């Protein structure tokens, strides 16, 4: 029985890897992290019209299309082609405005798998040195590419209703919300408060953790253009 379970697990990971490799062929990733991936949108949409974006973190295995379904369960365990897979697909919250980075907060979900794929590298950003060494996150849509950078990582539990907040009445309310999250952070930018003072959008990535009392790790990223503007404004 143990051997059979191990074999099934290995097959499921192999199947997920094959799906990831197949989808990766729809994007060309430059060697320089300062350049965004080029995505074959026509090809991706021919596979599955739910695709809304592409997420890439240079220097990691995070290089995936992003889908948006009618709920937040389908893509947890389904491939772009609709069959069951252990890691599903990276997907955007169904209540976010497509294609992402339209609302104040856009949330992407993904498993972190033991073979190091899906959101596993983002789970490792709970280490401050690893966090500090991660300078760029690319989110690409048909309308263009947005270069982001990590703002903070925080932990919470799966039932935390404060996580899934997308639109705020004002920038001040949104920034107050981010400051509240910063108070729970396990890793963060040294100048996070300054950056938050000029932030209007964040891209948050959610994955599992297995720490007692928690269950979720969330990486909050901010567009570099907003971070730079906030830094300039604070220096005047």
């Amino acid at each position: 029985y143990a051997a059979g379970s191990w074999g099934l697990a290995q097959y499921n990971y192999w199947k997920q890897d094959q799906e990831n490799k197949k989808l990766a062929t729809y994007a060309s990733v430059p060697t320089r992290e300062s350049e965004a991936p080029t995505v074959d949108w026509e090809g991706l949409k021919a596979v599955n019209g739910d695709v809304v974006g592409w997420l890439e973190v240079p220097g990691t295995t995070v290089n995936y299309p992003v889908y948006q379904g009618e709920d937040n369960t389908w893509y947890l365990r389904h491939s772009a082609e609709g069959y069951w897979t252990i890691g599903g697909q990276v997907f955007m919250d169904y209540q976010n405005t497509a294609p992402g980075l339209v609302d104040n907060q856009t949330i992407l979900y993904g498993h972190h798998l033991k073979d190091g794929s899906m959101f596993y590298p983002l789970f490792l950003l709970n280490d401050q040195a690893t966090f500090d060494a991660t300078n760029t996150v690319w989110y690409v849509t048909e309308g263009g590419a947005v270069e982001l950078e990590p703002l903070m990582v925080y932990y919470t539990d799966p039932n935390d209703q404060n996580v899934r907040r997308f639109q705020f009445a004002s920038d001040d309310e949104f920034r107050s919300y981010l400051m509240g999250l910063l108070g729970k952070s396990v890793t963060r930018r040294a100048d996070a408060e300054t950056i938050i003072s000029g932030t209007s959008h964040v891209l948050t990535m959610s994955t599992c953790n297995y720490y007692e009392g928690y269950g979720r790790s969330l990486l909050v990223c901010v567009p570099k253009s907003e971070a730079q503007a906030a830094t300039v404004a604070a220096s005047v």
Side-chain angles (χ1 to χ4, degrees):
Y1 175 81
S5 296
W6 181 86
L8 178 60
Q10 295 305 303
Y11 170 75
N12 285 335
Y13 273 92
W14 173 83
K15 188 176 179 181
Q16 182 70 50
D17 183 60
Q18 296 306 300
E19 178 70 12
N20 292 344
K21 287 179 177 177
K22 180 167 57 178
L23 292 173
T25 64
Y26 289 96
S28 176
V29 178
T31 56
R32 294 193 298 178
E33 71 173 40
S34 59
E35 298 178 4
T38 301
V39 180
D40 175 8
W41 295 110
E42 183 177 350
L44 274 175
K45 288 190 290 185
V47 175
N48 186 331
D50 284 349
V51 66
V52 292
W54 192 279
L55 180 70
E56 193 249 335
V57 183
T60 76
T61 56
V62 178
N63 182 43
Y64 304 112
V66 177
Y67 297 87
Q68 186 179 41
E70 295 180 355
D71 55 42
N72 285 342
T73 58
W74 177 257
Y75 286 111
L76 282 172
R77 297 297 185 191
H78 286 88
S79 72
E81 296 175 335
Y83 57 79
W84 188 94
T85 58
I86 193 170
Q89 302 291 168
V90 175
F91 64 96
M92 181 187 298
D93 196 289
Y94 79 102
Q95 290 189 318
N96 267 128
T97 304
L101 288 172
V102 177
D103 304 319
N104 295 120
Q105 178 169 227
T106 298
I107 305 179
L108 307 183
Y109 303 94
H111 292 286
H112 81 263
L113 300 183
K114 294 178 181 179
D115 64 355
S117 63
M118 307 308 286
F119 273 5
Y120 184 85
L122 306 183
F123 169 74
L124 299 178
L125 295 183
N126 60 0
D127 172 71
Q128 189 65 51
T130 304
F131 181 94
D132 291 340
T134 305
N135 299 311
T136 297
V137 173
W138 283 106
Y139 187 68
V140 184
T141 70
E142 285 191 88
V146 179
E147 186 178 7
L148 305 103
E149 53 193 320
L151 178 65
M152 67 176 119
V153 170
Y154 72 98
Y155 299 158
T156 191
D157 68 81
N159 297 317
D160 184 355
Q161 298 301 309
N162 195 49
V163 172
R164 295 182 64 246
R165 296 187 61 186
F166 311 109
Q167 292 277 20
F168 293 78
S170 65
D171 280 343
D172 285 344
E173 182 183 344
F174 177 52
R175 292 161 187 170
S176 177
Y177 168 78
L178 292 178
M179 288 299 296
L181 300 182
L182 189 63
K184 303 194 296 182
S185 64
V186 293
T187 54
R188 50 172 284 179
R189 286 179 62 130
D191 59 350
E193 290 94 341
T194 298
I195 301 306
I196 288 172
S197 70
T199 297
S200 298
H201 303 87
V202 295
L203 184 72
T204 298
M205 287 160 268
S206 175
T207 193
C208 311
N209 72 39
Y210 302 101
Y211 302 136
E212 185 175 354
Y214 295 106
R216 294 289 183 272
S217 294
L218 295 106
L219 168 65
V220 182
C221 297
V222 59
K224 284 195 174 185
S225 59
E226 294 185 13
Q228 291 166 356
T231 300
V232 171
S235 65
V236 174

